Amino acid sequence: MSLFQAFLCGLLYFLAQSNVTMVSYGTIYRPLVNGWLVGLILGDPVMGVTIGATINMMFIGFISAGGSLPSDIPMAGILGTALAISAGLDVDAALALAVPLGLLGAFTWVGRLTLDSFFNPLTEKIIEKNDSLKGLWLPTVVLPQLFLFCITCVPVTIAAYFGSQVVGDFLGSVAFLIPIMSVVGGLMPALGIGITLKFIFQGESRVFLFLGFLLAAYTNLPMIGIGLIALIAAIIYIQITSKIEGAE
Amino acid sequence: MAEIKKLSKETLNKCFWTWEWTYQACYNYENMQGGCFLDAMAPAIRELYPAGSDEFKDAASRHFEFYNIENTTGGGVLGLVLAMEEQIASGDEVTPDSVRSIKTGLMGPLSGVGDSYMQGVIYPIILAIGCSYGVQGNTFVPIIVILLQAIIQIGLARAWFNLAYNKGSDAMLDLIESGTFKNLLTGAGILGCMVLGALIMNFVSVHCGITVNTGGEEPFSLQAGLFDTLLPGILPLAATLMCYALVSKGWSSTKVLLLLLAIGVVGSVTGILV
């Protein structure tokens, strides 16, 4: 990996963490997307999206609901994919790499939420000056993002650049960890789905969880097929319940 | 009643897009999105109040306060607050304090509504279906994911924004209370639950490695002989329901993650899980 490619990976991690809506949380934050982009940077988008999607499956349902996340998802996706492609690892080894990378997590999150508070007095001063809020975007956008750039882009660039040279040998000496990490990686979606269920596993919707589960367990329907059946089931349910309510 | 000052369309758009792009650019523990909300309000404050006046300063400081809301429903509160600022600037009976109470009163419940459809349903479904194609090396999927997320998020935020700005808080609350909206949320919940149920089977993988020597040629495998024939996916289902129960009981997700890590390592080393 060239230094420039490593820098692009670092830049990608900065964008993923930027919290700027359209480029961040719903898109570049997710390994499905950032793995593909890392693949493009390194000249192998097919491998990138394959590894990215595999890592993303591990973090499916990991969401921040007004709180913190236990994992650094884009770190796992970006560094995991970058190191795997540049060291020529297979998907299993990539996953073994991504699990600990993701678990390292949350430092960026906590760091930025703590230190961004220091920009608030500047905003305060701009309000006090009462001069048409001139320069307001400095403390609310530019400075916090510059600071974020320093704590995200720089370390990931370094890790991607030097990591690709050592990770191959390193994984060779800890090969016994790969099956362990693959068991852990298989368990992790259970947590993400559990967190998401906290929002929607309520009332009469509950039984549909088991319907979806059984459909997947006993048929070979692809995800999109089950999604469409679920949509129809939801519509039928609402039609019937509103008829009943209307008749009362 | 005095003539109501109306903000120009251009200013409204500026406020909306600033909110959409940078609503969390300076996310911090002290006031969360406080500074960024002020940033989104700034174009309107500049248009409504004379520069350098006390009214200008008051308006700026009442929007630089603790604020934390989900993005799409947050678009609604922004629209609402813009309409209220128009009335305050026109000398209507709306008091600055009512703007404060609207913001703090709505951010909790509306974040709940927004999180349940965005993070509970839309994100997981798009990503789950995307991943199931992505693992096969489909390079179009990420592009579709990016487009879908952007269109849905901006579309919903704009719809809330327009509704709240044009019709006010009553219309917004009426909508949330209405049967149609409740039906939509129920439908979204059903859709989400069913897809998540399928995800448990397809994404969570827990395999039991225990074999029992029965004296026959092949040792009896608990996974192949019992679980896979009776109910494939029973172990992933159990693992997921355990996580759900723990999270609902108030365990932090970090704690559950550490538990899974422990189960995985111990299970793998002892050969119970493979």
Side-chain angles (χ1 to χ4, degrees), chain A residues 2 5 41 43 48 69-70 72 91 102-103 122 124 128 177 187 212 215:
Chain A
S2 72
Q5 284 171 322
I41 293 170
L69 275 166
D72 194 330
V91 176
L103 294 181
L122 268 169
E124 196 75 49
E128 282 304 313
L177 277 177
L187 278 167
L215 268 181

Side-chain angles (χ1 to χ4, degrees), chain A:
Chain A
M1 193 184 314
S2 72
L3 190 59
F4 182 62
Q5 284 171 322
F7 169 73
L8 287 180
C9 291
L11 194 65
L12 207 54
Y13 181 64
F14 158 67
L15 288 176
Q17 289 288 7
S18 67
N19 261 347
V20 172
T21 313
M22 262 78 74
V23 298
S24 168
Y25 194 66
T27 54
I28 299 182
Y29 195 85
R30 307 294 163 177
L32 174 64
V33 175
N34 61 42
W36 168 68
L37 289 168
V38 167
L40 281 178
I41 293 170
L42 299 178
D44 193 350
V46 176
M47 193 61 185
V49 76
T50 312
I51 296 175
T54 311
I55 295 173
N56 204 143
M57 282 167 74
M58 190 163 72
F59 294 107
I60 205 85
F62 272 59
I63 48 183
S64 91
S68 63
L69 275 166
S71 297
D72 194 330
I73 301 170
M75 175 83 88
I78 292 168
L79 267 187
T81 311
L83 297 180
I85 290 183
S86 57
L89 308 178
D90 61 10
V91 176
D92 281 343
L95 198 66
L97 202 60
V99 173
L101 281 174
L103 294 181
L104 273 178
F107 290 122
T108 312
W109 178 269
V110 175
R112 70 101 61 94
L113 265 107
T114 308
L115 293 171
D116 276 357
S117 303
F118 291 120
F119 300 112
N120 286 332
L122 268 169
T123 311
E124 196 75 49
K125 254 186 209 148
I126 288 171
I127 296 173
E128 282 304 313
K129 230 168 135 197
N130 203 4
D131 185 18
S132 292
L133 292 174
K134 260 182 210 131
L136 179 64
W137 50 284
L138 265 173
T140 57
V141 179
V142 178
L143 294 178
Q145 291 293 320
L146 264 178
F147 160 70
L148 186 70
F149 182 84
C150 297
I151 63 166
T152 53
C153 184
V154 176
V156 169
T157 302
I158 295 170
Y161 185 65
F162 292 103
S164 61
Q165 295 165 14
V166 291
V167 79
D169 312 331
F170 181 71
L171 268 185
S173 61
V174 288
F176 69 93
L177 277 177
I178 292 182
I180 297 178
M181 286 305 148
S182 109
V183 169
V184 175
L187 278 167
M188 278 175 61
L191 172 58
I193 296 172
I195 298 173
T196 312
L197 282 179
K198 209 179 142 193
F199 289 101
I200 58 172
F201 193 54
Q202 288 157 351
E204 291 151 337
S205 314
R206 285 177 174 232
V207 68
F208 288 92
L209 178 83
F210 302 100
L211 181 59
F213 172 76
L214 291 176
L215 268 181
Y218 289 113
T219 70
N220 281 324
L221 283 170
M223 277 312 303
I224 186 117
I226 292 178
L228 290 172
I229 293 175
L231 184 67
I232 304 283
I235 293 172
I236 294 174
Y237 178 86
I238 289 166
Q239 282 176 343
I240 293 175
T241 47
S242 33
K243 266 220 183 89
I244 295 171
E245 274 168 24
E248 268 167 10

Side-chain angles (χ1 to χ4, degrees), chain A residues 127-130, chain B residues 52-62:
Chain A
I127 296 173
E128 282 304 313
K129 230 168 135 197
N130 203 4
Chain B
S53 65
D54 286 348
E55 288 86 1
F56 189 103
K57 198 167 144 189
D58 289 347
S61 34
R62 73 171 156 263

